[in-house]
Amino acid sequence: MNTSLRRTLTVLAAPVAALAVWILAVPVAGTTLNVRMGDATQTVEAVPVAVSSLLAGLAGWALLAILERLTSRPRRVWTIVAVTVWILSLLGPLNSAVTTPATLVLLLMHLTVGAIVILGFSVWGRR
C-alpha cells in the first residue's frame, strides 16, 4: 500500500473511531457530554467530534509532510511532537467536562484519535 493511501486511511479512521466512541457513549449509553465554554455549557455533538478529529489527522499529516522536507529524521521528530500534543490535549476534557462520565468519554475519544493518528503516521507508516 502506498504512503498516500495509508495516510489517507489514517486520517479517515480517526473520525470514524471518535464517532464510534460517541455513538456508544451518547445514544447507546445515554451519557450527556457537556463541557464548560466560558460561562456557558455546551453539549458535544457528533458533527464537531467528526470535524475536530478529521482536522487533527489532517494537521498531523501536514506537519509530517513539512518535516519530511526539512529534517533528516521526520518520523522521530513528528512522533515526539505528536505525543506531546496528544498528552496536552487531554487537559481539555480534564478541565472542561462537566461530569465524570463526560470526562471519561471525552478522554477516551482523545486517546482513541491520538493513538490512531500517531500509530498510523509513525509506526504503520513505515515501509
Side-chain angles (χ1 to χ4, degrees), residues 21-35 43-46 97-109:
V21 172
W22 184 89
I23 288 167
L24 289 172
V26 177
V28 173
T31 306
T32 302
L33 298 183
N34 285 335
V35 293
T43 302
V44 177
E45 299 292 343
V98 174
T99 65
T100 300
T103 302
L104 294 174
V105 171
L106 292 168
L107 284 172
L108 181 58
M109 281 194 272

Side-chain angles (χ1 to χ4, degrees), residues 5-7 16 26 31 38 42 58 62 79 100-103 110 118 120:
L5 180 57
R6 271 195 309 265
R7 290 179 182 179
V16 168
V26 177
T31 306
Q42 182 177 346
L58 290 171
T79 301
T100 300
T103 302
H110 278 247
I118 290 168

Side-chain angles (χ1 to χ4, degrees), residues 3-126:
T3 302
S4 292
L5 180 57
R6 271 195 309 265
R7 290 179 182 179
T8 300
L9 292 175
T10 297
V11 168
L12 294 176
V16 168
L19 284 172
V21 172
W22 184 89
I23 288 167
L24 289 172
V26 177
V28 173
T31 306
T32 302
L33 298 183
N34 285 335
V35 293
R36 287 184 235 33
M37 302 293 286
D39 292 336
T41 300
Q42 182 177 346
T43 302
V44 177
E45 299 292 343
V47 171
V49 167
V51 170
S52 62
S53 55
L54 180 66
L55 291 175
L58 290 171
W61 189 351
L63 177 60
L64 181 55
I66 291 166
L67 291 171
E68 285 172 338
R69 294 176 189 265
L70 299 177
T71 68
S72 61
R73 302 191 64 174
R75 282 203 180 101
R76 179 176 168 74
V77 173
W78 183 88
T79 301
I80 292 167
V81 171
V83 169
T84 302
V85 170
W86 186 33
I87 291 168
L88 291 174
S89 81
L90 299 176
L91 295 174
L94 290 172
N95 291 323
S96 65
V98 174
T99 65
T100 300
T103 302
L104 294 174
V105 171
L106 292 168
L107 284 172
L108 181 58
M109 281 194 272
H110 278 247
L111 290 170
T112 301
V113 169
I116 287 170
V117 171
I118 290 168
L119 290 173
F121 289 153
S122 64
V123 176
W124 297 326
R126 291 187 182 156

